Amino acid sequence: MKRIGVLTSGGDAPGMNAAINGIVDEARKHNIEVRGYLEGYAGLIANDYIELTPEVVKPHHHVGGTFLGTSRSEEFKKAEVQAGVAKQLKQDNVDGLVVIGGDGSYHGAYSLSKLGIQTIGIPGTIDNDIPLTELTLGFKTAIRNVVETVDIIMQSASSHKHLYGIEVMGRRAGDLARWTGRALDADGIIAEPGDFDVNLVKETIEKSQAMNKRYQLFIIAEGVMSAQEFKEVVERETGYPIHPLLLGHIQRGGNPVAEDRILGLDFGEHAVALLREGKTERCTAVIDNKVTDVSFEETFALIEK
Ligand SMILES: Nc1ncnc2c1ncn2[C@@H]1O[C@H](COP(=O)(O)OP(=O)(O)OP(=O)(O)O)[C@@H](O)[C@H]1O
Ligand SMILES: O=P(O)(O)OC[C@H]1O[C@](O)(CO)[C@@H](O)[C@@H]1O
């Protein structure tokens, strides 16, 4: 194996740069060149890449986002576009490809593997919504971002005895709502559709008031309802005024916490080891607290349609 490629795709996640660093470190030990394709699958389509060396990669190790850029490319979903990309990779003697992203990005990698390109995925998404792995890159940092931001807001909320409905990310997954809600000792956590019951919200508000709690906090996963919808329904049905708050992309930014930096390095090194062993259609994962790998197919089988 002489040359491999890496790209980041889908939403950025803190720790992606650390994973690229891990890939380059491991590849260099075995004299493998690494190409970094720019802007996700868009860079593969345009054959737009930079050579990744420690000098290029190391300054980004501790920084959030992805220095390679990322995108959501509809173009890449076309079979003829994928065929053109596979042909180009073969022509350029790129012997393997590591795709860092969510399950959508894994589907892209899977398509290329069916066209004869050896591919490995690394779970990089703040949503923690990839089956089988206990952790995805960026999740722990996103928790930090939410908790620290809400801590600040709660100082004002408690001064005024305000009630907050806070919407956190996770299109299909309630993990960020569950973990941050627990860390923040929220009054209510609405992480799954069945969790919202306006009568229960009313009861919770009244119990907290009876305890003379100075603020109240409901954490809502965006996939269940928006903070605005929560405000409208709760105000209409209970009469209690709600401050709706959409945290937005503040959740995805920021330098990765130590755990995401370490996980990035571990995933990156493991991905290169898999490529060197001739493995394909696999993705790195944490199982029982250890870095290992599982197949794309077993991962896809567990994703709810
Ligand atoms: N079925 C598919 N076939 C080929 N490529 C795909 C497929 N699904 C997604 N992709 C590619 O992967 C890109 C990223 O997918 P998507 O937008 O679903 O994000 P993701 O990887 O799931 O990350 P996140 O969890 O951050 O949203 C898409 O824009 C597209 O280029
Ligand atoms: O930044 P975009 O493209 O609007 O995507 C937002 C989505 O991406 C995610 O942050 C995952 O990366 C989801 O939690 C969220 O719904």
Side-chain angles (χ1 to χ4, degrees):
M1 179 159 270
K2 292 270 176 279
R3 179 179 294 136
I4 61 172
V6 57
L7 61 87
T8 49
S9 170
D12 59 283
M16 283 182 161
N17 289 332
I20 298 165
N21 188 19
I23 290 168
V24 171
D25 275 349
E26 186 63 19
R28 280 186 74 86
K29 279 191 209 152
H30 305 284
N31 295 316
I32 300 169
E33 285 174 26
V34 186
R35 282 186 178 180
Y37 288 90
L38 303 175
E39 322 298 345
Y41 286 115
L44 265 192
I45 298 169
N47 202 21
D48 192 9
Y49 62 85
I50 54 172
E51 296 297 341
L52 296 182
T53 59
E55 297 81 339
V56 172
V57 166
K58 299 258 170 225
H60 303 284
H61 169 75
H62 64 286
V63 182
T66 159
F67 81 97
L68 289 179
T70 182
S71 62
R72 301 192 195 271
S73 163
E74 280 307 306
E75 189 66 10
F76 187 72
K77 292 183 181 170
K78 296 179 185 160
E80 66 276 18
V81 172
Q82 293 163 6
V85 162
K87 189 171 167 208
Q88 182 74 51
L89 287 169
K90 286 178 194 167
Q91 202 172 301
D92 290 355
N93 298 314
V94 177
D95 302 321
L97 184 70
V98 183
V99 171
I100 310 173
D103 61 285
S105 303
Y106 280 9
H107 274 99
Y110 184 69
S111 318
L112 287 177
S113 72
K114 293 299 172 206
L115 296 166
I117 306 297
Q118 210 187 324
T119 58
I120 300 294
I122 290 182
T125 167
I126 64 159
D127 289 357
N128 207 36
D129 63 346
I130 300 194
L132 298 172
T133 185
E134 287 155 16
L135 271 180
T136 60
L137 270 183
F139 178 58
K140 290 285 175 80
T141 304
I143 292 172
R144 187 269 324 265
N145 292 341
V146 172
V147 169
E148 291 191 356
T149 307
V150 176
D151 279 348
I152 293 169
I153 293 159
M154 285 310 113
Q155 294 175 8
S156 167
S158 69
S159 307
H160 294 265
K161 291 195 171 177
H162 278 163
L163 274 69
Y164 268 80
I166 300 187
E167 176 185 333
V168 300
M169 279 184 169
R171 249 173 313 176
R172 242 189 11 223
D175 275 16
L176 199 52
R178 268 187 287 274
W179 281 63
T180 57
R182 185 84 181 122
L184 288 160
D185 188 27
D187 298 273
I189 302 173
I190 299 161
E192 288 173 34
D195 293 344
F196 181 66
D197 172 349
V198 75
N199 294 320
L200 189 59
V201 171
K202 183 168 186 276
E203 223 175 86
T204 307
I205 292 172
E206 286 165 1
K207 268 191 203 153
S208 298
Q209 282 179 344
M211 282 190 269
N212 206 21
K213 198 161 173 235
R214 292 200 58 86
Y215 67 85
Q216 288 177 50
L217 178 59
F218 292 85
I219 300 285
I220 309 152
E222 65 173 346
V224 179
M225 68 200 303
S226 68
Q228 187 59 32
E229 281 176 285
F230 178 81
K231 169 190 166 71
E232 283 164 16
V233 179
V234 175
E235 286 187 353
R236 189 181 64 232
E237 302 294 324
T238 72
Y240 291 114
I242 301 288
H243 281 63
L245 186 70
L246 171 61
L247 290 179
H249 289 81
I250 202 165
Q251 296 165 85
R252 242 167 45 190
N255 292 340
V257 295
E259 281 160 293
D260 277 327
R261 299 180 198 194
I262 295 167
L263 193 59
L265 286 175
D266 288 350
F267 276 164
E269 289 165 9
H270 192 66
V272 174
L274 290 171
L275 286 176
R276 291 187 61 247
E277 287 164 22
K279 303 261 175 68
T280 186
E281 294 180 22
R282 297 193 73 75
C283 42
T284 63
V286 177
I287 297 177
D288 292 337
N289 225 14
K290 287 199 182 68
V291 171
T292 178
D293 50 274
V294 294
S295 75
F296 281 151
E297 284 179 0
E298 58 190 321
T299 302
F300 297 155
L302 292 169
I303 295 174
E304 285 172 42
K305 295 283 165 231

